[in-house]
Amino acid sequence: MSALVLVVVGVLTGLTTVVFGFGGGFVTVPVIVWVDAAAGPAAATVAVATSSLVMVVNAVVATAATPRPVLRRLRGTAPLLVLLGTGGLGGAVAACSAPARLIHWGFVVYLAVTVVDGLARPGFLRPAPAAAAAAGRRAFAVPAASGLPIGAVAAFLGVGGSVMTVPLLRRSGLPMGVTAALANPLTACVSAPACAVFLATAQGADTRALVSAFGSVDLGAAALLLLGALPVVVLLRRRPLRIADRLHAGGYLALLCLVLTAMLVRTP
């Protein structure tokens, strides 16, 4: 039953990768915590580690299929990408030895803050016309200096960075479709070094109860998630969904609320 659940959730992660730029982190972490409950207190670390592998694969595939004109918006962002990766490396190292409750509640708090911010502050559900007009002229909306903290927090919590970068890109006036597409390469930069750390070490995570564990990563769970996700990513990049921009933004916040509820129900 858990294998079927993981494949179905993989389909959902593929959908969220393309539509929202998540890469799968917010969807996979609660599910892996449940599936790998046998790991006890280490389940949260395993979930973050496994999520990092799923996210990097999803994000790389989605980025490769993104139209070149959209990716050209990333020109001049090399310092940001390097700092995202550096922060991701540090966050992953910290997550390997962090208490499970800290990761869990950090995830919950960050989700709650993001949802409240998206609802309370103008510019997310409906970007201001002036911001939309300026979006094509200004520098990239995510400052290079923010790469380090974004990468560190994202890797520590297993969220890939999209929940931080999507609101920033959105408030710069970009439509949700472009915002989600640009979030994928940023997620890949955070997740790749974090994934390498998690694969190389099981420090702080007792994975002996997990048959398919490698380092802190549950490779079996990751494979099932990717089995469901990758066909969806390829299909939706070839045949994009047409979603009204405000509905697209509302769906982003609604999904965060759903995941927040799941994490509160599964309180360690």
Side-chain angles (χ1 to χ4, degrees):
M1 177 61 73
S2 61
L4 178 60
V5 169
L6 285 170
V7 173
V8 172
V9 170
V11 172
L12 181 58
T13 66
L15 179 65
T16 60
T17 295
V18 176
V19 177
F20 300 116
F22 281 167
F26 279 101
V27 182
T28 57
V29 168
V31 174
I32 298 171
V33 166
W34 169 68
V35 169
D36 286 339
T45 303
V46 172
V48 170
T50 306
S51 172
S52 71
L53 176 58
V54 173
M55 284 189 296
V56 72
V57 175
N58 280 343
V60 167
V61 172
T63 300
T66 299
R68 301 305 104 178
V70 174
L71 293 179
R72 278 199 287 270
R73 292 177 178 269
L74 292 171
R75 284 178 176 171
T77 62
L80 169 65
L81 302 181
V82 170
L83 288 173
L84 284 170
T86 304
L89 185 65
V93 170
C96 285
S97 55
R101 291 180 66 86
L102 177 60
I103 296 175
H104 180 95
W105 286 109
F107 191 101
V108 168
V109 169
Y110 194 82
L111 274 179
V113 169
T114 303
V115 171
V116 171
D117 181 68
L119 291 172
R121 273 208 301 158
F124 188 86
L125 288 176
R126 179 181 291 173
R137 302 192 301 268
R138 65 166 60 120
F140 196 68
V142 183
S146 67
L148 199 62
I150 287 175
V153 173
F156 184 80
L157 300 179
V159 299
S162 58
V163 78
M164 303 180 189
T165 58
V166 165
L168 289 172
L169 292 167
R170 175 66 171 167
R171 287 199 167 91
S172 75
L174 293 173
M176 278 297 296
V178 174
T179 294
L182 291 175
N184 284 313
L186 302 182
T187 292
C189 287
V190 173
S191 301
C195 182
V197 170
F198 288 129
L199 285 169
T201 178
Q203 180 183 357
D206 184 358
T207 57
R208 288 173 292 182
L210 306 178
V211 176
S212 58
F214 189 94
S216 298
V217 177
D218 184 346
L219 290 181
L224 290 168
L225 288 164
L226 291 170
L227 179 65
L230 293 181
V232 177
V233 172
V234 173
L235 176 63
L236 292 183
R237 277 290 184 237
R238 291 180 176 178
R239 298 176 179 271
L241 297 175
R242 299 187 181 277
I243 308 172
D245 190 65
R246 191 172 186 184
L247 178 62
H248 199 162
Y252 178 94
L253 294 179
L255 183 57
L256 294 189
C257 289
L258 180 62
V259 176
L260 176 59
T261 302
M263 290 298 283
L264 288 173
V265 169
R266 180 60 178 85
T267 300

